[in-house]
Amino acid sequence: GRLERYTDQIPETELSSALPITLRIPGLESRAKERISTLSATQLNSVLGEIEPLTEMLDRAVVLYAESGSFDSANYRANSLIIPLASAFSLDQITRIIEATAVNSQISGSFRCRPALVTLRDHNPNVTVEFWEQLVTRTGLDDLKPNVGETET
């Protein structure tokens, strides 16, 4: 019907107000979650300002960060998606962020990479010292290990 089509094609100017509503309507929720998987970093950021992040939104933030194709996009996505959502990511999502950092030089070479990693380490209640140390060692990111006592800037 019309509501389903609208949910699939919510205009960008209405995303931040309409998408959160469609997520609460039975029958439209699954379509709204599918729509999340197509959002750009800017669109996702605008929606996140309106509601608590859903798993699908966090997953999309991880994908967008991993796909950063320039230092600028990596910096923008670190500042607008990774750092603000740091406490909400699951350990699996954090693992995917670190793995993406290891293979994407646009992320690892961006100036917001280290602050993003420190924020993930220090502000996510699921992250233990052991988990963090094993993850950054396994992915070859020993040089990006935050220094003891370092805080995000």
Side-chain angles (χ1 to χ4, degrees):
R2 276 197 339 214
L3 284 176
E4 288 84 1
R5 280 192 305 279
Y6 176 76
T7 302
D8 293 342
Q9 302 168 354
I10 299 171
E12 189 160 351
T13 56
E14 299 171 18
L15 266 174
S16 64
S17 58
L19 192 58
I21 294 167
T22 60
L23 284 164
R24 288 190 219 106
I25 299 173
L28 293 181
E29 180 184 15
S30 64
R31 286 184 108 95
K33 287 180 177 180
E34 283 180 38
R35 179 75 168 94
I36 290 168
S37 70
T38 67
L39 298 178
S40 70
T42 304
Q43 292 167 334
L44 182 59
N45 190 41
S46 74
V47 173
L48 285 167
E50 301 301 315
I51 61 171
E52 286 297 308
L54 300 170
T55 300
E56 291 81 5
M57 293 176 179
L58 296 168
D59 285 340
R60 183 66 180 155
V62 172
V63 167
L64 288 166
Y65 191 58
E67 292 176 349
S68 296
S70 68
F71 296 134
D72 285 342
S73 65
N75 287 328
Y76 174 77
R77 293 166 183 181
N79 285 335
S80 65
L81 301 174
I82 303 304
I83 291 171
L85 297 171
S87 64
F89 288 114
S90 69
L91 290 179
D92 177 65
Q93 290 163 333
I94 290 172
T95 299
R96 287 186 278 144
I97 291 167
I98 299 301
E99 288 171 346
T101 301
V103 299
N104 185 335
S105 62
Q106 300 303 308
I107 296 174
S108 60
S110 68
F111 71 90
R112 297 304 291 163
C113 178
R114 189 185 245 3
L117 293 181
V118 173
T119 304
L120 285 170
R121 183 200 64 191
D122 293 348
H123 294 281
N124 187 292
N126 303 309
V127 173
T128 63
V129 171
E130 296 77 22
F131 168 81
W132 188 261
E133 294 295 323
Q134 288 174 4
L135 181 59
V136 294
T137 300
R138 178 177 61 78
T139 54
L141 293 175
D142 290 319
D143 59 320
L144 288 176
K145 274 186 190 174
N147 301 319
V148 175
E150 178 181 10
T151 57
E152 75 279 6
T153 54

